[in-house]
């Protein structure tokens, strides 16, 4: 099922230049889509069109349609949309408002006016799922960056969204914490079947869990395909997308059907490559 | 030369951020500062230009104790570009922004003009000269912040998380810039989490944990030492990981990996 | 030396009092406040003070209180002297300054042991609407972030050779401009990003006022409620039963 669909969509803030131009693409439910491109290529604007900040919060020239779960974004109210689409912003400090982790997680549900006992159950579940039980009483702002991000994710998951948008989620994290985040997202995808749309520069980290790679340049789509398919074409680096070293290396080796994204894939391909040559 | 002699630093709330740091940084060095958040990198950086003075021990800049110098006096020799440096912009035009530091250091107007030209050209910002700094893109702002510091030609340059929010092309430009500065004999210190970026630079690495330096060595040695990587929340770059699987010396570049594979096939 | 404001900010401690049920804390606070206002007899006031002392000690906040004591003593002395001049009665003047001390200590220990989340519960009891409560809470949340921004910007500009304390008074004011402008801009950015985050979390989308706090009244709470109700019982017993 198509969970997000852009058709003939263009947008400009305050009637200036088009930030997004004539976009046509869709995302199947359960996919993980990476959005890559130069900084300022329109990635953040694209995410805002899905979570409804455009056109509810930012006005401008809005042409064509964006559908979320079969319904036009403009036909949703912000609260209905918040139950479908969750957003993890770049800096978690800007989305943590409360003084304890459990209150933070309950906040969105309180906003929806749910029943307190229902809220409690859901908060328990989220604390459990993201392994935050020990931190429940702590203040979000005194946690480490990685923990803050988990709290922010919990506060989103608790709304039971079908889609989660992530805007450069690893920019403040150290390498191992980034890797843990990737594993966590893999978990979300497999266990909860959540659709993930991630704007990110570090392809080497995220491509192993991604189903599709969307390359945006000057507001237009330059490529949208399976990650390996897109990475076959080295010219995409001119759009500000960095080819992961392994993918770059596999492009050089003849007989590689596809670029390798992980060490295991690379080793398998290399072994086959060497065996072919030796025998 | 910058020297740390047994430097410890304790914040007013009692948190010990630096613990007995001994370190020498020479001109021409390229040093990467790594370690998890809160390991003391930022505190160490702030000691480099005297923003913080050690609670115990001493920091010497060209033989002079930073306790006896003002921040401005040290900054003339040690320029720091902070992570959120784009939040420091305030001038009407790009050239005014660069002139700000130069005026603080008392350069003559004529000299200021020459230096602005030099910095704009170096960072490919000439066309924005009369533009407002707020209208620049993220990458351009970052370059402007570096231009602001490099305009007064400090002998040491410190970059705090320079790649955050930067795309591939901007990172490539940054690498070229750092290479250029290295060739000019500047001392460069980079604090970063971006391992693939660091691997391309091949710096000497200082690994910090809980305010201490737990390792000081070449990038190759650090990234192939799994116990250090574990302690400091690092993971090896893809090329190092690959060479480990192939049980060979770490590939520094993709070219080297290609060469290695070619040789294996020809033999 | 003057650390008075500091003793009215929540201090995160793991103490018996901090862990009490919010409702018990509110009852004790209101009780102590009323007693501080009505008691006007040095013996009664000192009794209440000893209970208050125990409360402060159990909350592990004595350090902050001691830090602000210099200033409080100074104000007490002022009150004492003024009253002495007007009434010329030492005992009455002493009671006035003791009353002041009791009020300050009661409110200070209240604010130090009640977390912002619990404060929100309290505000809700007072029928403050949700959006106003949120404005209050987020202001508390915003101030430390603003301070961090300020430090960061000041550091950046000093690294560019800005000397804040150089020159005459006009020069010094002018020196603040490179800090003030970026601070305003970053604050605007921050608040707009927070507003975005609020929008995506359905803020203000319903009229219903839900507040989900884990309230659990335990035996411990009952014991504390009893102990700290003793001053009232003593007062009532003394004035209405023994010496009516």
């Amino acid at each position: 099922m198509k969970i997000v669909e852009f058709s003939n969509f263009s947008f400009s803030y305050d009637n200036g230049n088009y930030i997004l131009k004539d976009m046509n693409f869709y995302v199947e439910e359960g996919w993980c889509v990476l959005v890559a491109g130069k900084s300022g290529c329109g990635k953040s604007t694209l995410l805002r069109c899905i979570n409804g900040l455009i056109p509810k919060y930012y006005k401008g020239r809005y042409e064509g349609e964006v559908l979320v779960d079969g319904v036009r974004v403009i036909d949703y109210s912000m609260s209905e949309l918040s139950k479908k689409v969750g957003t993890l912003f770049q800096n978690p400090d800007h989305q943590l408002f409360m003084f304890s982790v459990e209150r933070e997680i309950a906040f969105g549900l309180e906003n929806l006016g749910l029943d307190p006992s229902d809220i409690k159950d859901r908060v328990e579940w989220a604390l459990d799922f993201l392994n935050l039980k020990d931190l429940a009483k702590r203040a979000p702002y005194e946690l480490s960056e990685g923990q803050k991000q988990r709290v922010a994710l919990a506060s989103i998951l608790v709304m039971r969204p079908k889609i989660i948008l992530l805007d450069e989620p690893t920019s403040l994290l150290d390498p191992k914490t980034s890797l843990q985040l990737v594993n966590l997202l893999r978990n979300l995808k497999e266990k909860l079947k959540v659709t993930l749309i991630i704007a990110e520069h570090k392809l080497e980290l995220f491509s192993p869990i991604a189903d599709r790679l969307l390359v945006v340049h000057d507001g237009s789509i330059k490529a949208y395909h399976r990650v390996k398919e897109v990475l076959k074409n080295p010219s995409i680096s001119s759009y500000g997308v960095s080819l992961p070293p392994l993918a770059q290396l596999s492009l050089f080796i003849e007989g590689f059907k596809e670029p390798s994204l992980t060490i295991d894939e690379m080793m398998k391909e290399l072994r086959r490559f060497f065996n072919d040559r030796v025998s | 030369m910058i020297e740390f002699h047994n430097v410890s630093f304790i914040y007013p709330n009692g948190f010990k951020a630096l613990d007995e740091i001994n370190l020498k940084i020479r001109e021409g060095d390229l040093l990467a500062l790594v370690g998890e958040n809160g390991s003391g990198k930022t505190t160490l950086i702030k000691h480099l230009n005297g923003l913080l003075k050690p609670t115990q021990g001493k920091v010497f800049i060209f033989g002079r104790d930073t306790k006896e110098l003002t921040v401005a006096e040290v900054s003339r020799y040690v320029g720091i570009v902070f992570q959120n440096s784009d939040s420091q912009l305030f001038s009407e035009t790009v050239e005014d922004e660069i002139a700000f530091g130069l005026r603080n250091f008392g350069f003559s107007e004529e000299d200021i003009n020459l230096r602005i030209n030099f910095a704009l050209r170096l960072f490919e910002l000439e066309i924005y000269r009369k533009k407002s700094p707020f209208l620049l893109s993220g990458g351009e702002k970052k370059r402007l912040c570096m231009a602001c510091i490099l305009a007064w030609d400090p002998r040491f340059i410190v970059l705090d998380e320079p790649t955050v929010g930067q795309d591939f092309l901007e990172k490539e430009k940054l690498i070229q810039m750092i290479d250029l500065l290295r060739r000019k004999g500047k001392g460069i210190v980079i604090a970063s989490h971006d391992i693939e970026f660091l691997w391309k630079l091949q710096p000497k690495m200082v690994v910090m944990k809980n305010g201490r330096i737990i390792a000081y060595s070449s990038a190759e040695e650090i990234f192939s030492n799994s116990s250090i990587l574990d302690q400091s929340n690092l993971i090896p770059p893809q090329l190092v990981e690959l060479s480990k699987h192939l049980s060979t010396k770490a590939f520094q570049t993709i070219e080297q990996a290609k060469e290695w594979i070619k040789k294996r096939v020809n033999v | 030396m003057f650390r008075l404001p500091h003793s009215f900010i929540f201090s995160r401690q793991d103490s018996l009092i901090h862990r009490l049920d919010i409702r018990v804390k509110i009852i004790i606070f209101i009780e102590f406040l009323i007693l501080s206002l009505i008691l006007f007899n040095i013996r009664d006031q000192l009794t209440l003070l000893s209970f208050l002392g125990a409360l402060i000690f159990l909350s592990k906040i004595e350090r902050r209180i001691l830090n602000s004591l210099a200033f409080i003593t100074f104000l007490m002395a002022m009150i004492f002297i003024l009253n002495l001049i007007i009434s010329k009665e030492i005992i009455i003047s002493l009671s006035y300054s003791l009353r002041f001390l009791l009020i300050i200590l009661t409110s200070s220990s209240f604010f130090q042991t009640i977390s912002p989340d619990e404060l929100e519960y309290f505000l809700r009891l007072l029928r403050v609407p949700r959006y106003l409560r949120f404005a209050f809470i987020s202001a508390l949340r915003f101030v430390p972030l603003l301070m961090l921004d300020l430090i960061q910007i000041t550091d950046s500009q000093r690294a560019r050779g800005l000397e804040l304390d150089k020159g005459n008074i006009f020069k010094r004011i002018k020196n603040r401009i490179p800090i003030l402008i970026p601070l305003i801009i970053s604050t605007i950015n921050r608040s707009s990003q927070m507003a975005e985050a609020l929008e995506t979390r359905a803020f203000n989308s319903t009229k219903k006022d839900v507040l989900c706090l884990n309230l659990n009244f335990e035996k411990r709470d009952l014991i504390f409620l009893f102990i700290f109700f003793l001053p009232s019982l003593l007062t009532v017993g003394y004035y209405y039963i023994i010496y009516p």
Side-chain angles (χ1 to χ4, degrees):
Chain A
M1 207 196 109
K2 293 175 186 174
I3 188 94
V4 174
E5 188 173 7
F6 280 63
S7 51
N8 302 321
F9 181 77
S10 302
F11 180 78
S12 69
Y13 293 103
D14 295 330
N15 302 325
N17 291 333
Y18 279 111
I19 305 293
L20 298 177
K21 276 178 291 207
D22 201 31
M23 294 206 127
N24 283 293
F25 75 99
Y26 67 88
V27 177
E28 283 283 336
E29 184 158 18
W31 275 1
C32 171
V33 178
L34 293 184
V35 186
K38 275 188 192 173
S39 46
C41 70
K43 279 178 296 184
S44 307
T45 306
L46 183 80
L47 297 187
R48 282 179 185 155
C49 292
I50 303 172
N51 63 21
L53 286 172
I54 292 173
K56 312 268 177 192
Y57 189 75
Y58 293 100
K59 308 279 178 217
R61 195 160 44 182
Y62 191 92
E63 291 159 16
E65 278 176 356
V66 181
L67 301 175
V68 167
D69 207 9
V71 179
R72 292 191 304 177
V73 166
I74 44 172
D75 293 336
Y76 280 105
S77 71
M78 222 36 207
S79 70
E80 279 171 79
L81 205 53
S82 72
K83 286 185 260 180
K84 301 255 179 194
V85 187
T87 313
L88 185 74
F89 293 88
Q90 201 169 17
N91 187 346
D93 271 336
H94 296 149
Q95 67 180 126
L96 301 173
F97 301 101
M98 293 289 131
F99 283 81
S100 73
V101 168
E102 52 182 5
R103 282 277 290 127
E104 186 64 52
I105 300 174
F107 180 68
L109 301 175
E110 289 176 0
N111 287 337
L112 292 175
L114 296 190
D115 192 51
S117 67
D118 193 17
I119 295 181
K120 260 178 210 156
D121 290 347
R122 287 216 211 171
V123 171
E124 275 305 301
W125 171 83
L127 286 172
D128 205 38
F129 190 84
L130 287 174
N131 211 357
L132 289 166
K133 276 248 161 74
D134 297 339
L135 305 176
K137 303 278 177 203
R138 296 273 301 277
Y141 59 86
E142 37 172 57
L143 303 177
S144 73
E145 289 301 330
Q147 290 168 332
K148 277 185 200 169
Q149 201 128 35
R150 285 218 315 273
V151 174
L153 257 179
S155 70
I156 291 166
L157 275 181
V158 82
M159 312 278 274
R160 301 203 180 134
K162 292 192 162 180
I163 306 161
I164 297 183
L165 313 176
L166 301 98
D167 194 2
E168 298 194 20
T170 63
S171 59
L172 300 169
L173 303 182
D174 58 47
K176 196 169 277 171
T177 316
S178 307
L179 199 61
Q180 284 160 356
L181 178 74
V182 174
N183 288 330
L184 177 65
L185 294 176
R186 188 200 307 264
N187 220 341
L188 289 187
K189 197 180 141 197
E190 283 166 8
K191 285 200 184 137
L192 307 176
K193 312 283 176 231
V194 184
T195 306
L196 301 169
I197 301 179
I198 311 172
E200 190 42 79
H201 293 302
K202 292 180 193 149
L203 293 190
E204 69 275 3
L205 211 53
F206 283 87
S207 13
I209 65 162
D211 299 285
R212 289 290 184 278
L213 176 58
L214 177 70
V215 179
V216 184
H217 185 70
D218 277 343
S220 324
I221 296 175
K222 292 295 171 194
Y224 183 50
H225 217 289
R226 288 175 46 247
V227 182
K228 291 180 177 178
E229 207 61 47
V230 178
L231 293 183
K232 266 182 193 168
N233 180 1
S235 72
I236 59 155
S237 61
S238 63
Y239 302 128
V241 179
S242 66
L243 280 168
L246 288 183
Q248 227 172 318
L249 187 58
S250 27
L251 284 177
F252 147 82
I253 306 168
E254 293 163 45
F256 264 43
K257 281 198 295 296
E258 292 183 316
S260 304
L261 300 178
T262 64
I263 291 286
D264 289 345
E265 282 176 10
M266 184 84 198
M267 288 305 293
K268 224 158 104 193
E269 290 282 328
L270 270 179
R271 255 177 238 126
R272 220 200 44 208
F273 177 74
F274 285 136
N275 284 341
D276 287 355
R277 298 290 154 132
V278 173
S279 55
Chain B
M1 183 152 75
I2 305 177
E3 291 162 277
F4 281 63
H5 285 293
N6 290 320
V7 171
S8 296
F9 183 80
I10 302 172
Y11 279 100
N13 65 9
F15 177 67
K16 194 170 199 177
L18 294 182
D19 191 0
E20 300 271 323
I21 298 285
N22 283 297
L23 185 65
K24 270 185 193 155
I25 310 168
R26 292 179 188 80
E27 282 167 276
D29 277 355
L30 175 61
L31 209 66
L33 216 50
V34 297
E36 52 190 326
N37 289 320
S39 60
K41 286 176 294 173
T42 308
T43 311
L44 193 146
I45 284 179
K46 286 185 182 174
H47 277 79
L48 292 173
N49 70 349
L51 277 169
L52 295 177
K53 316 265 158 126
T55 318
Q56 274 160 32
K58 281 192 158 79
V59 179
F60 293 103
I61 311 279
F62 295 108
R64 294 180 68 189
D65 189 341
T66 54
K67 275 185 187 146
E68 284 147 25
L69 299 167
T70 64
V71 177
E73 282 167 331
V74 188
S75 299
R76 178 67 186 80
Y77 299 102
V78 184
I80 303 186
V81 186
F82 283 104
Q83 183 185 343
N84 293 43
S85 49
D86 50 335
S87 70
Q88 70 179 30
L89 303 174
F90 70 100
S91 303
E92 267 175 64
T93 62
V94 165
E95 63 175 350
D96 283 346
E97 197 66 60
I98 299 176
F100 172 69
L102 298 171
R103 293 210 173 95
N104 286 333
F105 289 118
F107 287 93
S108 71
E109 283 303 314
E110 196 183 344
D111 206 5
I112 288 178
N113 226 330
L114 287 173
R115 281 168 186 270
I116 291 175
N117 288 339
F118 158 78
L120 287 175
R121 208 166 39 239
L122 189 63
F123 287 94
E124 300 169 28
L125 292 166
E126 287 135 308
I127 47 166
Y128 303 120
R129 189 181 187 119
K130 298 282 179 195
K131 237 180 147 182
S132 161
F134 300 109
L135 297 176
L136 303 184
S137 76
E140 288 158 354
K141 275 185 188 163
K142 192 96 210 170
R143 295 213 305 273
L144 173 57
C145 293
M146 290 180 67
C148 286
I149 302 286
L150 282 172
W152 71 77
D153 201 26
R155 286 153 82 171
F156 288 91
I157 292 136
V158 184
L159 305 173
D160 186 12
E161 294 290 351
T163 61
V164 166
Q166 305 288 300
D167 64 41
F168 170 69
L169 298 173
E170 285 158 352
K171 281 188 202 175
E172 290 295 307
K173 262 187 196 153
L174 202 57
I175 289 174
Q176 285 167 16
M177 188 58 57
I178 291 168
D179 272 337
L180 179 73
L181 293 173
R182 177 150 58 165
R183 280 201 302 277
K184 282 179 136 190
K186 303 285 176 198
I188 305 167
V189 179
I190 303 170
S192 180
H193 286 318
D194 193 333
I195 45 174
E196 298 292 347
F197 171 76
L198 289 180
W199 187 248
K200 283 185 186 164
L201 288 171
Q202 291 288 327
K204 258 193 278 176
M205 291 177 70
V206 174
V207 185
M208 294 191 69
K209 186 178 175 67
N210 299 334
R212 289 176 162 272
I213 294 180
I214 58 165
Y216 177 67
S217 190
S218 68
E220 191 176 332
E221 271 182 48
I222 299 285
F223 280 123
S224 46
N225 184 333
S226 54
S227 118
I228 296 224
L229 293 180
D230 250 13
Q231 284 182 60
S232 52
N233 262 10
L234 287 170
I235 52 175
Q238 286 194 332
L239 286 177
V240 177
E241 186 96 17
L242 179 67
S243 38
K244 204 160 70 189
H245 276 76
L246 296 169
S247 3
T248 171
K249 197 176 162 311
F251 305 125
Q252 293 194 351
T253 60
I254 291 170
E255 301 307 316
Q256 281 183 10
K258 284 180 188 172
E259 285 304 312
W260 188 88
I261 293 169
K262 260 190 200 160
K263 263 190 202 148
R264 283 284 300 259
V265 172
N266 290 340
V267 166
Chain C
M1 169 174 181
F2 298 120
R3 298 214 185 137
L4 198 58
H6 220 69
S7 54
F8 286 91
I9 297 169
F10 176 59
S11 126
R12 195 169 285 278
Q13 299 279 357
D14 188 22
S15 80
L16 285 169
I17 304 296
H18 281 79
R19 268 177 276 149
L20 283 183
D21 188 289
I22 162 77
R23 290 163 294 190
V24 175
K25 283 193 242 183
I26 290 173
I27 293 172
I28 295 178
F29 165 70
I30 292 174
E31 178 216 350
F32 273 44
L33 196 64
I34 293 173
L35 285 179
S36 339
L37 285 169
I38 57 169
L39 293 182
F40 201 68
N41 168 316
I42 292 188
R43 185 200 57 209
D44 299 345
Q45 285 178 318
L46 289 179
T47 314
L48 182 63
L49 190 61
S50 56
F51 275 92
L52 199 53
L55 185 86
I56 288 170
F57 203 70
L58 285 174
S59 343
K60 299 184 187 167
I61 55 170
E62 67 279 359
R63 218 205 192 102
R64 274 202 196 174
I65 300 270
L66 284 176
N67 279 337
S68 60
L69 215 54
F71 189 55
I72 296 176
T73 320
F74 170 73
L75 287 177
M76 276 173 70
M78 294 298 290
I79 292 171
F80 180 76
I81 292 166
L82 276 174
N83 274 297
L84 201 60
I85 294 167
I86 298 163
S87 67
K88 302 202 168 50
E89 292 260 10
I90 292 183
I91 302 294
I92 290 182
S93 311
L94 210 55
S95 273
Y96 269 115
S97 34
L98 271 177
R99 178 179 283 177
F100 171 75
L101 178 69
L102 286 168
I103 294 171
I104 290 282
L105 289 186
T106 307
S107 38
S108 160
S109 43
F110 176 74
F111 283 110
Q112 287 198 58
T113 52
I114 289 209
S115 75
D117 284 341
E118 293 176 323
L119 200 58
E120 200 191 343
Y121 179 83
F122 182 60
L123 292 175
R124 186 158 180 267
L125 284 182
L126 301 177
R127 309 219 166 267
V128 179
R130 182 172 170 84
Y131 71 93
L132 270 183
R133 291 196 318 255
F134 179 77
F136 178 75
I137 295 284
S138 58
L140 286 180
R141 174 84 182 82
F142 213 75
V143 173
L145 291 177
L146 203 70
M147 290 309 293
L148 282 181
D149 275 353
L150 181 64
I151 292 171
Q152 199 167 39
I153 291 166
T154 313
D155 281 351
S156 288
Q157 305 302 40
R158 289 178 75 198
R160 292 166 75 190
L162 177 69
E163 290 182 278
L164 291 170
D165 299 322
K166 205 172 149 190
N168 58 31
I169 181 92
F170 295 107
K171 182 89 177 41
R172 284 186 196 197
I173 293 172
K174 213 181 134 212
N175 282 347
R176 305 279 153 167
I177 293 175
I179 292 175
L180 216 58
I181 295 176
L183 188 64
I184 293 169
I185 292 169
S186 81
T187 306
I188 293 172
N189 283 340
R190 210 183 259 287
S191 26
S192 87
Q193 278 161 17
M194 285 173 125
E196 277 189 35
L198 277 180
E199 287 286 334
T200 62
R201 284 170 79 187
F203 184 66
N204 228 356
S205 63
T206 164
K207 286 265 179 296
K208 268 192 252 170
D209 188 348
V210 183
L211 177 64
C212 187
L213 262 189
N214 279 327
L215 302 173
N216 32 4
F217 194 86
E218 294 168 22
K219 210 194 254 164
R220 188 180 59 204
D221 294 299
L222 200 64
I223 297 170
F224 270 91
L225 194 58
F226 178 72
I227 295 175
F228 286 103
F229 234 78
L230 277 178
S232 299
L233 295 178
L234 287 176
T235 313
V236 172
Y238 191 79
Y239 286 102
Y240 292 91
I241 300 169
I242 303 175
Y243 293 104

